[in-house]
Amino acid sequence: MGRNIGLAVGRGTGPELADVFEQTAHHIGGLYSRSVTITRSPRIYHSYSSLLAEGDTRRMRRGTEEDADHYERFCRDQADRGTSAIFRTAINAQSLYLVRRRLRAVKVDLIAGASGELLLIRDAAQGFYTGENSHSPGVVTRTMTFSREITDQVISFALRRARDEWPDDDVDEIVMAYKFHLLDGAFTEWVADAAARHGVDIALRQPDTVNRDLIERGPSRRTLIIGGNEWADAMHAVLLDRFAAERQESRFTENIHLHPEVSGLVEFQTVHGSADDLAGRDRVNPTATVRAAAAIMERHAHCTGAIRAMELALESVRTLGVHTPDLGGDHSTTAMTAALLDVLEPHAAPPPGSTPRLHIVPGGPRADP
Ligand SMILES: NC(=O)c1ccc[n+]([C@@H]2O[C@H](COP(=O)([O-])OP(=O)(O)OC[C@H]3O[C@@H](n4cnc5c(N)ncnc54)[C@H](O)[C@@H]3O)[C@@H](O)[C@H]2O)c1
Ligand SMILES: CC(C)[C@H](C(=O)O)[C@@H](O)C(=O)O
Protein backbone atom coordinates (compact mmCIF):
# COMPACT_ATOMS: atom_id res chain seq x y z
CA MET A 1 0.00 0.00 0.00
CA GLY A 2 1.33 3.45 -0.94
CA ARG A 3 1.18 6.79 0.77
CA ASN A 4 -2.27 7.98 1.85
CA ILE A 5 -3.84 11.13 0.44
CA GLY A 6 -7.13 12.47 1.83
CA LEU A 7 -9.88 13.64 -0.51
CA ALA A 8 -12.85 15.78 0.52
CA VAL A 9 -15.61 16.49 -1.97
CA GLY A 10 -18.13 19.33 -2.09
CA ARG A 11 -21.31 19.78 -4.11
CA GLY A 12 -21.54 21.56 -7.45
CA THR A 13 -18.70 20.41 -9.70
CA GLY A 14 -16.91 18.79 -6.74
CA PRO A 15 -17.70 15.17 -7.72
CA GLU A 16 -16.45 15.73 -11.30
CA LEU A 17 -13.24 17.37 -10.11
CA ALA A 18 -12.70 14.73 -7.43
CA ASP A 19 -12.74 12.12 -10.21
CA VAL A 20 -10.25 14.22 -12.20
CA PHE A 21 -8.04 14.44 -9.11
CA GLU A 22 -8.11 10.68 -8.46
CA GLN A 23 -7.50 9.80 -12.08
CA THR A 24 -4.60 12.26 -12.35
CA ALA A 25 -2.95 11.27 -9.07
CA HIS A 26 -3.10 7.56 -9.91
CA HIS A 27 -1.84 8.23 -13.43
CA ILE A 28 1.13 10.21 -12.12
CA GLY A 29 1.76 7.51 -9.52
CA GLY A 30 1.85 4.94 -12.34
CA LEU A 31 4.32 7.00 -14.37
CA TYR A 32 6.66 7.32 -11.40
CA SER A 33 6.02 3.84 -9.98
CA ARG A 34 4.70 5.33 -6.74
CA SER A 35 1.31 4.09 -5.69
CA VAL A 36 -0.98 6.16 -3.50
CA THR A 37 -4.11 5.32 -1.58
CA ILE A 38 -6.76 7.97 -1.78
CA THR A 39 -9.14 8.09 1.18
CA ARG A 40 -12.38 9.92 0.42
CA SER A 41 -14.36 11.55 3.15
CA PRO A 42 -17.76 9.78 3.13
CA ARG A 43 -19.70 13.05 3.23
CA ILE A 44 -20.35 15.34 0.27
CA TYR A 45 -20.11 18.82 1.79
CA HIS A 46 -22.49 21.63 0.89
CA SER A 47 -21.91 24.55 -1.43
CA TYR A 48 -23.74 27.78 -0.68
CA SER A 49 -26.49 27.08 -3.20
CA SER A 50 -27.09 23.51 -2.00
CA LEU A 51 -27.38 24.82 1.58
CA LEU A 52 -29.77 27.53 0.48
CA ALA A 53 -31.94 24.86 -1.08
CA GLU A 54 -32.21 23.25 2.38
CA GLY A 55 -34.68 25.95 3.42
CA ASP A 56 -34.65 28.48 6.22
CA THR A 57 -31.85 30.10 8.20
CA ARG A 58 -32.15 27.59 11.03
CA ARG A 59 -31.59 24.64 8.69
CA MET A 60 -28.72 26.41 6.96
CA ARG A 61 -27.06 27.00 10.31
CA ARG A 62 -27.47 23.35 11.22
CA GLY A 63 -26.12 22.16 7.85
CA THR A 64 -23.15 24.49 8.20
CA GLU A 65 -22.30 23.17 11.68
CA GLU A 66 -22.71 19.55 10.61
CA ASP A 67 -20.43 20.04 7.62
CA ALA A 68 -17.84 21.85 9.74
CA ASP A 69 -17.88 19.19 12.48
CA HIS A 70 -17.63 16.39 9.95
CA TYR A 71 -14.84 17.99 7.94
CA GLU A 72 -12.86 18.88 11.07
CA ARG A 73 -13.12 15.22 12.20
CA PHE A 74 -11.98 14.04 8.78
CA CYS A 75 -8.94 16.35 8.93
CA ARG A 76 -8.09 15.23 12.46
CA ASP A 77 -8.47 11.54 11.55
CA GLN A 78 -6.25 11.99 8.53
CA ALA A 79 -3.62 13.81 10.62
CA ASP A 80 -3.78 11.07 13.28
CA ARG A 81 -3.06 8.39 10.70
CA GLY A 82 -0.06 10.33 9.41
CA THR A 83 -1.56 11.67 6.18
CA SER A 84 0.32 14.79 5.12
CA ALA A 85 -1.96 16.05 2.31
CA ILE A 86 -5.67 16.39 1.61
CA PHE A 87 -7.17 17.61 -1.64
CA ARG A 88 -10.48 19.33 -1.08
CA THR A 89 -12.81 20.47 -3.84
CA ALA A 90 -14.69 23.68 -3.07
CA ILE A 91 -17.09 23.70 -0.15
CA ASN A 92 -19.14 26.47 1.36
CA ALA A 93 -17.17 29.28 2.96
CA GLN A 94 -18.99 29.36 6.27
CA SER A 95 -18.33 25.73 7.25
CA LEU A 96 -14.81 25.95 5.96
CA TYR A 97 -13.99 29.01 8.03
CA LEU A 98 -15.30 27.34 11.19
CA VAL A 99 -12.80 24.56 10.54
CA ARG A 100 -10.09 27.06 9.67
CA ARG A 101 -10.61 28.86 12.97
CA ARG A 102 -10.55 25.61 14.94
CA LEU A 103 -7.47 24.23 13.18
CA ARG A 104 -5.81 27.65 12.74
CA ALA A 105 -5.37 27.70 9.01
CA VAL A 106 -3.28 30.00 6.88
CA LYS A 107 -3.49 30.03 3.11
CA VAL A 108 -0.25 30.23 1.15
CA ASP A 109 0.32 31.34 -2.43
CA LEU A 110 3.61 32.29 -4.07
CA ILE A 111 2.65 34.65 -6.87
CA ALA A 112 5.57 34.88 -9.27
CA GLY A 113 5.60 37.25 -12.21
CA ALA A 114 7.97 39.22 -14.39
CA SER A 115 8.29 41.99 -11.79
CA GLY A 116 9.13 39.78 -8.83
CA GLU A 117 7.78 37.28 -6.34
CA LEU A 118 5.03 37.94 -3.87
CA LEU A 119 4.55 35.44 -1.09
CA LEU A 120 0.98 35.86 0.10
CA ILE A 121 0.11 34.43 3.51
CA ARG A 122 -3.59 34.75 4.29
CA ASP A 123 -4.55 34.71 7.93
CA ALA A 124 -7.67 32.54 7.80
CA ALA A 125 -7.56 31.67 11.50
CA GLN A 126 -9.08 34.85 12.97
CA GLY A 127 -11.17 37.90 12.16
CA PHE A 128 -14.46 38.48 10.40
CA TYR A 129 -14.46 35.27 8.33
CA THR A 130 -14.15 33.07 11.40
CA GLY A 131 -16.91 34.79 13.39
CA GLU A 132 -20.13 33.49 14.93
CA ASN A 133 -23.60 34.76 14.01
CA SER A 134 -26.58 35.49 16.16
CA HIS A 135 -29.96 36.50 14.78
CA SER A 136 -32.75 38.76 15.88
CA PRO A 137 -35.56 39.93 13.59
CA GLY A 138 -34.01 41.78 10.66
CA VAL A 139 -30.50 41.75 12.18
CA VAL A 140 -27.53 39.39 11.98
CA THR A 141 -24.80 40.11 14.50
CA ARG A 142 -21.40 38.61 13.76
CA THR A 143 -18.86 38.51 16.55
CA MET A 144 -15.24 37.75 15.97
CA THR A 145 -11.86 37.83 17.61
CA PHE A 146 -8.26 38.81 16.94
CA SER A 147 -5.68 37.53 19.40
CA ARG A 148 -2.01 38.11 20.11
CA GLU A 149 -1.42 34.35 20.24
CA ILE A 150 -2.77 33.70 16.74
CA THR A 151 -1.13 36.83 15.32
CA ASP A 152 2.22 35.63 16.70
CA GLN A 153 1.70 32.15 15.25
CA VAL A 154 0.81 33.54 11.82
CA ILE A 155 3.82 35.88 11.77
CA SER A 156 6.21 33.11 12.88
CA PHE A 157 4.82 30.78 10.23
CA ALA A 158 5.08 33.44 7.51
CA LEU A 159 8.71 34.18 8.31
CA ARG A 160 9.61 30.49 8.28
CA ARG A 161 7.79 29.97 5.01
CA ALA A 162 9.59 32.97 3.48
CA ARG A 163 12.89 31.41 4.52
CA ASP A 164 11.78 28.16 2.93
CA GLU A 165 10.91 29.84 -0.37
CA TRP A 166 13.96 32.13 -0.31
CA PRO A 167 16.64 30.25 1.63
CA ASP A 168 19.20 33.06 1.17
CA ASP A 169 17.00 35.08 3.55
CA ASP A 170 16.94 37.95 1.10
CA VAL A 171 13.47 39.50 1.36
CA ASP A 172 12.98 43.12 0.30
CA GLU A 173 9.85 43.90 2.20
CA ILE A 174 7.57 42.37 4.84
CA VAL A 175 4.15 43.96 4.89
CA MET A 176 1.09 43.20 6.99
CA ALA A 177 -2.25 44.24 5.55
CA TYR A 178 -4.82 44.40 8.34
CA LYS A 179 -7.56 46.83 9.31
CA PHE A 180 -5.63 47.57 12.50
CA HIS A 181 -7.00 51.12 12.88
CA LEU A 182 -10.15 49.48 14.27
CA LEU A 183 -8.36 47.61 17.07
CA ASP A 184 -7.46 50.30 19.64
CA GLY A 185 -3.72 50.03 19.06
CA ALA A 186 -3.58 46.46 20.39
CA PHE A 187 -2.70 44.89 17.03
CA THR A 188 0.02 47.52 16.45
CA GLU A 189 1.65 46.58 19.75
CA TRP A 190 1.51 42.82 19.01
CA VAL A 191 3.13 43.29 15.60
CA ALA A 192 5.85 45.60 16.94
CA ASP A 193 6.68 43.06 19.68
CA ALA A 194 6.77 40.18 17.20
CA ALA A 195 8.98 42.12 14.77
CA ALA A 196 11.44 42.94 17.58
CA ARG A 197 11.48 39.31 18.74
CA HIS A 198 12.18 38.03 15.24
CA GLY A 199 14.66 40.84 14.48
CA VAL A 200 12.85 41.92 11.29
CA ASP A 201 11.15 45.07 10.02
CA ILE A 202 7.44 44.62 9.47
CA ALA A 203 5.46 47.41 7.84
CA LEU A 204 1.94 47.25 9.26
CA ARG A 205 -0.34 49.00 6.79
CA GLN A 206 -4.03 49.60 6.27
CA PRO A 207 -5.47 47.51 3.40
CA ASP A 208 -6.21 50.55 1.24
CA THR A 209 -2.63 51.80 1.70
CA VAL A 210 -1.25 48.40 0.68
CA ASN A 211 -3.35 48.60 -2.49
CA ARG A 212 -2.25 52.15 -3.14
CA ASP A 213 1.42 51.14 -2.81
CA LEU A 214 0.98 48.10 -5.08
CA ILE A 215 -0.71 50.25 -7.72
CA GLU A 216 1.96 52.97 -7.44
CA ARG A 217 5.07 50.83 -7.53
CA GLY A 218 4.15 47.14 -7.71
CA PRO A 219 5.69 44.57 -5.38
CA SER A 220 9.43 44.67 -4.77
CA ARG A 221 11.59 41.87 -6.17
CA ARG A 222 10.66 39.73 -3.17
CA THR A 223 7.74 40.78 -1.01
CA LEU A 224 6.15 38.89 1.86
CA ILE A 225 2.60 40.03 2.51
CA ILE A 226 0.77 38.70 5.54
CA GLY A 227 -2.83 39.64 4.97
CA GLY A 228 -5.81 39.73 7.26
CA ASN A 229 -8.38 37.73 5.32
CA GLU A 230 -10.68 40.76 5.15
CA TRP A 231 -8.17 42.17 2.64
CA ALA A 232 -6.45 39.04 1.33
CA ASP A 233 -9.53 37.07 0.24
CA ALA A 234 -10.84 39.91 -1.90
CA MET A 235 -7.39 40.68 -3.29
CA HIS A 236 -6.24 37.14 -4.10
CA ALA A 237 -7.70 36.92 -7.61
CA VAL A 238 -6.62 40.50 -8.35
CA LEU A 239 -3.02 39.83 -7.28
CA LEU A 240 -2.95 36.67 -9.40
CA ASP A 241 -4.20 38.58 -12.42
CA ARG A 242 -2.05 41.64 -12.00
CA PHE A 243 1.27 40.15 -10.93
CA ALA A 244 1.24 36.64 -12.45
CA ALA A 245 -1.28 36.94 -15.32
CA GLU A 246 -3.12 33.97 -13.79
CA ARG A 247 -6.80 33.17 -13.27
CA GLN A 248 -8.48 31.45 -10.35
CA GLU A 249 -9.59 28.59 -12.63
CA SER A 250 -5.93 27.68 -13.18
CA ARG A 251 -4.57 27.93 -9.68
CA PHE A 252 -4.48 25.91 -6.52
CA THR A 253 -3.37 27.04 -3.08
CA GLU A 254 -2.25 25.35 0.10
CA ASN A 255 -3.81 25.71 3.52
CA ILE A 256 -1.45 24.97 6.37
CA HIS A 257 -2.87 24.22 9.80
CA LEU A 258 -1.04 25.77 12.71
CA HIS A 259 -2.93 23.84 15.40
CA PRO A 260 -0.41 21.42 16.95
CA GLU A 261 -2.90 18.51 16.89
CA VAL A 262 -2.96 18.50 13.08
CA SER A 263 0.53 19.84 12.56
CA GLY A 264 2.00 18.78 9.22
CA LEU A 265 -1.38 18.34 7.49
CA VAL A 266 -1.57 20.43 4.32
CA GLU A 267 -4.88 20.94 2.56
CA PHE A 268 -4.74 21.68 -1.16
CA GLN A 269 -7.66 23.37 -2.91
CA THR A 270 -8.45 25.12 -6.14
CA VAL A 271 -8.68 28.92 -5.91
CA HIS A 272 -12.00 28.74 -7.77
CA GLY A 273 -15.21 27.68 -6.08
CA SER A 274 -17.71 24.89 -6.68
CA ALA A 275 -19.02 26.41 -9.95
CA ASP A 276 -22.52 25.06 -9.27
CA ASP A 277 -23.80 26.53 -12.53
CA LEU A 278 -21.63 23.95 -14.36
CA ALA A 279 -22.43 20.96 -12.15
CA GLY A 280 -22.96 17.70 -14.05
CA ARG A 281 -22.28 19.32 -17.43
CA ASP A 282 -18.69 18.08 -17.95
CA ARG A 283 -17.59 21.66 -18.71
CA VAL A 284 -15.60 22.65 -15.66
CA ASN A 285 -11.96 23.60 -16.31
CA PRO A 286 -9.77 20.94 -14.65
CA THR A 287 -6.49 22.94 -14.76
CA ALA A 288 -6.33 23.93 -11.07
CA THR A 289 -7.21 20.39 -10.01
CA VAL A 290 -4.60 18.63 -12.18
CA ARG A 291 -1.96 21.11 -11.02
CA ALA A 292 -2.88 20.38 -7.40
CA ALA A 293 -2.67 16.63 -8.10
CA ALA A 294 0.82 17.05 -9.57
CA ALA A 295 1.97 19.15 -6.62
CA ILE A 296 0.62 16.63 -4.10
CA MET A 297 2.25 13.73 -5.94
CA GLU A 298 5.58 15.57 -6.12
CA ARG A 299 5.67 16.95 -2.60
CA HIS A 300 3.85 14.20 -0.73
CA ALA A 301 4.36 11.02 -2.75
CA HIS A 302 7.95 11.26 -4.00
CA CYS A 303 7.09 11.86 -7.67
CA THR A 304 9.92 14.33 -8.21
CA GLY A 305 9.41 16.30 -11.40
CA ALA A 306 5.62 15.82 -11.53
CA ILE A 307 4.89 19.56 -11.25
CA ARG A 308 7.13 20.37 -14.21
CA ALA A 309 5.73 17.39 -16.14
CA MET A 310 2.19 18.72 -15.67
CA GLU A 311 3.22 22.20 -16.81
CA LEU A 312 4.69 20.68 -20.00
CA ALA A 313 1.50 18.67 -20.56
CA LEU A 314 -0.67 21.78 -20.08
CA GLU A 315 1.50 23.61 -22.59
CA SER A 316 1.17 20.78 -25.17
CA VAL A 317 -2.58 20.60 -24.74
CA ARG A 318 -2.82 24.40 -25.13
CA THR A 319 -0.84 24.14 -28.35
CA LEU A 320 -3.17 21.38 -29.57
CA GLY A 321 -6.12 23.72 -28.95
CA VAL A 322 -7.79 21.52 -26.34
CA HIS A 323 -9.72 23.92 -24.08
CA THR A 324 -12.82 23.91 -21.91
CA PRO A 325 -15.46 26.56 -22.80
CA ASP A 326 -14.25 29.10 -20.18
CA LEU A 327 -10.94 29.17 -22.09
CA GLY A 328 -12.71 29.70 -25.39
CA GLY A 329 -12.76 26.04 -26.46
CA ASP A 330 -15.46 23.44 -26.82
CA HIS A 331 -13.82 20.48 -25.12
CA SER A 332 -15.34 18.77 -22.13
CA THR A 333 -13.66 18.29 -18.77
CA THR A 334 -13.27 14.60 -19.61
CA ALA A 335 -11.69 15.32 -23.00
CA MET A 336 -9.25 17.89 -21.62
CA THR A 337 -8.22 15.62 -18.76
CA ALA A 338 -7.74 12.66 -21.12
CA ALA A 339 -5.65 14.82 -23.49
CA LEU A 340 -3.47 15.97 -20.59
CA LEU A 341 -2.88 12.49 -19.24
CA ASP A 342 -2.18 11.27 -22.74
CA VAL A 343 0.74 13.65 -23.24
CA LEU A 344 2.00 13.57 -19.64
CA GLU A 345 5.49 12.16 -19.42
CA PRO A 346 7.59 11.82 -16.30
CA HIS A 347 9.94 14.75 -16.06
CA ALA A 348 13.52 14.02 -15.04
CA ALA A 349 14.38 14.50 -11.39
CA PRO A 350 16.45 17.59 -10.58
CA PRO A 351 20.22 17.09 -10.83
CA PRO A 352 21.92 15.41 -7.86
CA GLY A 353 22.98 17.84 -5.16
CA SER A 354 20.12 20.25 -5.76
CA THR A 355 18.27 21.25 -2.61
CA PRO A 356 15.05 19.32 -1.85
CA ARG A 357 11.97 21.41 -1.31
CA LEU A 358 11.21 21.96 2.35
CA HIS A 359 7.79 22.15 3.91
CA ILE A 360 7.25 24.38 6.85
CA VAL A 361 5.31 22.97 9.72
CA PRO A 362 4.79 24.60 13.08
CA GLY A 363 8.00 24.16 15.01
CA GLY A 364 10.28 24.60 12.03
CA PRO A 365 11.11 23.38 8.57
CA ARG A 366 11.40 19.73 7.79
CA ALA A 367 12.16 17.83 4.66
CA ASP A 368 9.45 16.11 2.62
CA PRO A 369 8.14 13.20 4.67
N1 LIG B 1 -12.02 26.49 -3.25
C1 LIG B 1 -12.98 26.74 -2.38
O1 LIG B 1 -13.17 26.07 -1.39
C2 LIG B 1 -13.94 27.84 -2.74
C3 LIG B 1 -13.50 28.99 -3.42
C4 LIG B 1 -14.45 29.98 -3.76
C5 LIG B 1 -15.80 29.77 -3.44
N2 LIG B 1 -16.14 28.65 -2.75
C6 LIG B 1 -17.54 28.31 -2.54
O2 LIG B 1 -18.03 27.89 -3.82
C7 LIG B 1 -19.41 28.21 -3.95
C8 LIG B 1 -19.66 29.02 -5.21
O3 LIG B 1 -18.98 30.28 -5.13
P1 LIG B 1 -18.98 31.36 -6.27
O4 LIG B 1 -20.11 31.09 -7.22
O5 LIG B 1 -18.86 32.65 -5.62
O6 LIG B 1 -17.59 31.14 -7.03
P2 LIG B 1 -17.17 30.07 -8.17
O7 LIG B 1 -15.68 30.18 -8.29
O8 LIG B 1 -17.70 28.73 -7.85
O9 LIG B 1 -17.86 30.57 -9.52
C9 LIG B 1 -17.70 31.88 -10.06
C10 LIG B 1 -17.81 31.79 -11.60
O10 LIG B 1 -16.62 31.21 -12.13
C11 LIG B 1 -16.92 30.05 -12.89
N3 LIG B 1 -15.92 29.01 -12.61
C12 LIG B 1 -15.38 28.74 -11.41
N4 LIG B 1 -14.51 27.72 -11.51
C13 LIG B 1 -14.51 27.33 -12.80
C14 LIG B 1 -13.83 26.32 -13.52
N5 LIG B 1 -12.94 25.49 -12.93
N6 LIG B 1 -14.10 26.19 -14.84
C15 LIG B 1 -14.96 27.02 -15.45
N7 LIG B 1 -15.63 28.00 -14.83
C16 LIG B 1 -15.42 28.16 -13.51
C17 LIG B 1 -18.30 29.58 -12.43
O11 LIG B 1 -18.94 28.83 -13.43
C18 LIG B 1 -18.96 30.91 -12.09
O12 LIG B 1 -19.49 31.47 -13.26
C19 LIG B 1 -19.79 28.89 -2.64
O13 LIG B 1 -20.33 27.93 -1.76
C20 LIG B 1 -18.48 29.42 -2.10
O14 LIG B 1 -18.50 29.60 -0.71
C21 LIG B 1 -15.26 27.69 -2.40
C1 LIG C 1 -15.19 31.13 -0.27
C2 LIG C 1 -14.05 30.36 0.33
C3 LIG C 1 -14.49 28.98 0.63
C4 LIG C 1 -12.87 30.42 -0.58
C5 LIG C 1 -11.78 29.46 -0.27
O1 LIG C 1 -11.39 29.19 0.81
O2 LIG C 1 -11.22 28.97 -1.20
C6 LIG C 1 -12.15 31.70 -0.75
O3 LIG C 1 -12.90 32.70 -1.20
C7 LIG C 1 -11.43 32.04 0.51
O4 LIG C 1 -11.99 32.66 1.37
O5 LIG C 1 -10.28 31.64 0.60
Side-chain angles (χ1 to χ4, degrees), residues 33-241:
S33 305
R34 302 276 186 189
S35 69
V36 281
T37 304
I38 297 180
T39 306
R40 269 198 198 221
S41 168
R43 188 177 177 96
I44 309 273
Y45 302 96
H46 278 289
S47 66
Y48 186 73
S49 52
S50 70
L51 260 181
L52 204 55
E54 292 278 294
D56 58 12
T57 306
R58 200 177 44 83
R59 292 172 95 151
M60 282 188 79
R61 280 162 70 79
R62 201 174 57 222
T64 300
E65 276 292 342
E66 285 170 358
D67 268 0
D69 291 349
H70 192 284
Y71 186 51
E72 180 188 355
R73 254 195 329 274
F74 179 70
C75 290
R76 286 179 177 277
D77 286 351
Q78 291 299 306
D80 286 350
R81 61 184 283 193
T83 303
S84 63
I86 289 177
F87 177 70
R88 174 185 52 71
T89 74
I91 70 175
N92 190 38
Q94 199 176 349
S95 349
L96 200 50
Y97 275 97
L98 287 176
V99 179
R100 286 175 172 166
R101 185 188 69 204
R102 295 171 191 165
L103 302 184
R104 299 198 174 175
V106 287
K107 189 179 265 200
V108 179
D109 204 347
L110 181 66
I111 300 175
S115 53
E117 291 186 325
L118 193 166
L119 177 58
L120 176 66
I121 307 290
R122 286 175 47 179
D123 175 354
Q126 59 180 346
F128 178 77
Y129 282 66
T130 62
E132 297 278 351
N133 296 340
S134 59
H135 294 261
S136 58
V139 177
V140 183
T141 305
R142 191 159 176 84
T143 3
M144 48 99 195
T145 304
F146 283 94
S147 76
R148 182 193 279 268
E149 187 195 351
I150 292 178
T151 307
D152 281 347
Q153 266 191 319
V154 172
I155 294 173
S156 302
F157 168 79
L159 296 176
R160 289 198 306 271
R161 183 69 187 227
R163 232 166 269 136
D164 177 36
E165 297 293 349
W166 302 312
D168 57 10
D169 229 4
D170 182 9
V171 181
D172 296 316
E173 210 183 2
I174 305 171
V175 177
M176 285 182 71
Y178 280 76
K179 197 73 193 165
F180 64 98
H181 284 182
L182 301 181
L183 299 175
D184 299 328
F187 199 83
T188 311
E189 185 189 316
W190 303 341
V191 172
D193 287 354
R197 218 173 32 254
H198 288 284
V200 294
D201 289 330
I202 299 180
L204 176 59
R205 300 208 178 107
Q206 288 283 107
D208 45 352
T209 307
V210 174
N211 288 354
R212 178 243 171 230
D213 290 350
L214 286 170
I215 291 165
E216 286 283 308
R217 49 184 168 81
S220 317
R221 187 185 46 103
R222 281 180 182 174
T223 308
L224 166 62
I225 302 190
I226 306 167
N229 213 37
E230 295 76 10
W231 171 81
D233 178 33
M235 285 304 294
H236 199 156
V238 177
L239 295 172
L240 284 173
D241 174 69

